[in-house]
Amino acid sequence: MSSATTPPDSDPTGRRRVHSMLKLYYGLNEEGTAAEQAESLDPCDINGPHFDPEVYLNKLRKECSLGELMDHESCMVKQIRSLDSDMQTLVYENYNKFISATDTIRKMKNDFKKMEDEMDCLSANMAAITEFSARISGTLQDQHAQITKLSGVHTLLRKLQFLFELPARLNKCLELQAYAQAVSAHRRARCVLQQYSHMPSFRGIQDDCHVIMEQLAQQLRQKFRDGGSSAKDLSECVELLLQLDEPAEELCDKFLSHAQSRLEADLQGLEVELKDSAVTDTDILEFIDRGCNEFVSSLCLVIASYQELFINRPQEGELASKNIPEMANGKLHVFVDTLAARYFSLVEQRIQEEKGVGDNSLLVRALDRFHRRLQAITKLLPGSAVPSHGTEIVVRAARERIKQYLSALQTFYHDSLTDVRQALAAPRLAVGGANATPSLPELLTSLSNFILNQLKSVLASVHLFTAKDITFSNKPYFKGEFCSQGVREGLVVSFIKFICQSSRQYCESAGDRGGSTPPALLLLLSRLCLDYETSTISYILTLTDEQFLVQHHTPVTPVTALCAEAREAAQKLLNHYVKVQGLIISQMLRKSVETRDWVNTIEPRNVRAVMKRVVEDTTSIDVQVGLLYEEGVRKAHSSDSSKRTFSVYSSSRQQIRYAPSYTPSAPMDTNLLSNIHKLFSERIDIFSPVEFNKVSVLTGIIKISLKTFLECVRLRTFGRYGLQQIQVDCHYLQMYLWRFVSDENLVHFLLDEIVGSAAHRCLDPSPMEQSVIEVICERG
């Protein structure tokens, strides 16, 4: 207060103190203080301790203009006023605090004055009490020993009176069923009666008490055996029997035996329901609900009651040395495991009856409820193997369900193929009609969609096992092995492999299953496997991994391996399709060659009908393959492909054979030229693997057909007209077949070989003029 009243210019030390107080009040940081200390030696520092007003003013007059001096003066006036205002505020606030402190001190003086009066009164009362106690002690000092002796005699008499009245007291408690009071009274007197049992009077009391307590123990045993009492009464009964030295092991056995009879009744009810489930149409959820609500709930109640009676009860005195909890716990584990094994057997039998693969929700909900209720046993009976065995049942049920779904998918696939075969075998109806037969692309699309949709439906059903609201879905098996080895490998991968393997079975030799397979089905399956290799397999496995969050902790089948297997199946099916179609055409050609008399045949006037049939069938195959496969790459065709002539009259070796200068040595020269020609010709692999395009497929079929035609011609003998008929047929085939193959030279070479072989086997090799052949073929 004194510093506040001092003029600002009269005491620099006071100004600094006030300034420090203001900084402390407004909570300025230490950095400002450090800066002031660093500049404290500057005489021009207005806040420093060495501030010199004259030096400061001289500096301002020298450095500042008049306007700056005026501004500086106004700024300094504002700062002075602000400091004065802050000082007044600080003074007022401190003044209010001083007033408050004065009031507090005044109140404390009043309170201490009242407290001093109360202490004086208390001190006076204590002095009076001390004086009165001293007078009593002086008065009774002579009689203290006698009073102590009389008190001891009185206590002994009361004890003797208690002993003599004990039989009557015990009988009264027995009549009133106050068993706890009777046992307590007997335990208080038992040691004394045992100590003085050599005295006749005490011996008689002991015998009477023994008879009465035996009756009481008999009533407690009967009450315990009946089991109709409440849990509290039953607990009291067990405690009293243990205090009466009843064997704890015998009590445990009696309790568990009585509980077993009730639990076996629940199990028998489940067995009856299991036998009648087919008749009553009880679903698995109802069966599990009944088992949980009756057997599992009763079992949990038995466990809780048993633990309260024999395990969790505090053991005192002699009971603590008998180690009853350990013995009782072992008996309880054996009891629970035995009954739970029977219950689990019934549950597994009921789960095995779930053969349908429709709605999976009832089974999953039933297993979840079964697993959830067994967790109560984990809390009641730590260390029990019952919950783990229950989890194993759930795991086995999930595995079995996956096998059932795989079998259902396989059956669905076979049924779908049967429908496709029936559609292929059905007579062709008008396109666009109400009952129009679906085309190959439509059959392929529908088959692929049916399989994919069915697989998605199965995955959705299986995904219920891993739903977040299912308790067992958090178990390690369902987080890892079930998703990777169960769903991905056991279901999806196995089904894809099954499709590839069953498709390859259609490629068996004739006489087996593959011999009766329609060629169109082979073509469709080859395209299906190829589509699986290109996109479907990757899509299915990606969908499975995303839907089930598959983590590949264990080795799984890679996508590339499945794609390779699908491509192999597609290649094998397409090769077999080419072989089957080639053999069908070859069979027609073989019969047409073998059943004709080529030596005595008439002069050809038309193309044989079998050749027209070959061209028609080849055209039909071309259309059929073109519906499912792309065109493919062809070599450039020559402009006169349909006008090519054959070696019977154009080849150098044939010209030598039929030249006017024919000599006996000509055949040897012809054979030599033929062999040399074959050496430099490109080798034709008849049964080489085909590529996945239409041109390659047709090339393979035509190679097989023409090769068969060639081999049949080599086994026959021809006359002049027979050779000419072969010329006409080959020219007709050449007119149409060249456009189906990748390289027209292949057709030309084989047809050239056929005509050349026929000429070689001809008795009168007189070829027909080319112009005549062309007229006959164009007319045909």
Side-chain angles (χ1 to χ4, degrees), residues 235-335:
S235 176
E236 182 182 2
C237 180
V238 171
E239 183 178 2
L240 294 177
L241 286 172
L242 291 175
Q243 291 178 3
L244 292 175
D245 296 332
E246 190 77 11
E249 186 173 358
E250 183 178 346
L251 290 177
C252 293
D253 293 337
K254 290 180 179 179
F255 181 88
L256 295 177
S257 176
H258 179 74
Q260 185 173 2
S261 62
R262 290 183 295 174
L263 293 173
E264 285 183 346
D266 295 336
L267 292 176
Q268 290 174 359
L270 290 176
E271 290 177 352
V272 173
E273 183 174 346
L274 182 62
K275 294 178 181 178
D276 299 339
S277 59
V279 180
T280 59
D281 197 21
T282 304
D283 59 50
I284 188 172
L285 185 59
E286 295 178 2
F287 179 84
I288 295 296
D289 273 341
R290 178 175 179 181
C292 292
N293 294 334
E294 293 181 3
F295 175 78
V296 178
S297 297
S298 300
L299 182 62
C300 291
L301 183 60
V302 168
I303 294 173
S305 302
Y306 184 88
Q307 289 177 333
E308 183 179 356
L309 295 176
F310 299 105
I311 299 177
N312 299 333
R313 178 177 301 280
Q315 305 295 320
E316 300 176 354
E318 298 178 359
L319 297 179
S321 61
K322 296 181 179 180
N323 200 10
I324 295 176
E326 184 177 353
M327 177 274 300
N329 192 47
K331 287 182 174 292
L332 180 61
H333 276 275
V334 175
F335 171 80

Side-chain angles (χ1 to χ4, degrees), residues 54-65:
E54 294 295 334
V55 177
Y56 181 71
L57 290 175
N58 292 332
K59 182 179 179 182
L60 289 179
R61 285 195 296 266
K62 292 178 181 179
E63 296 177 357
C64 299
S65 62

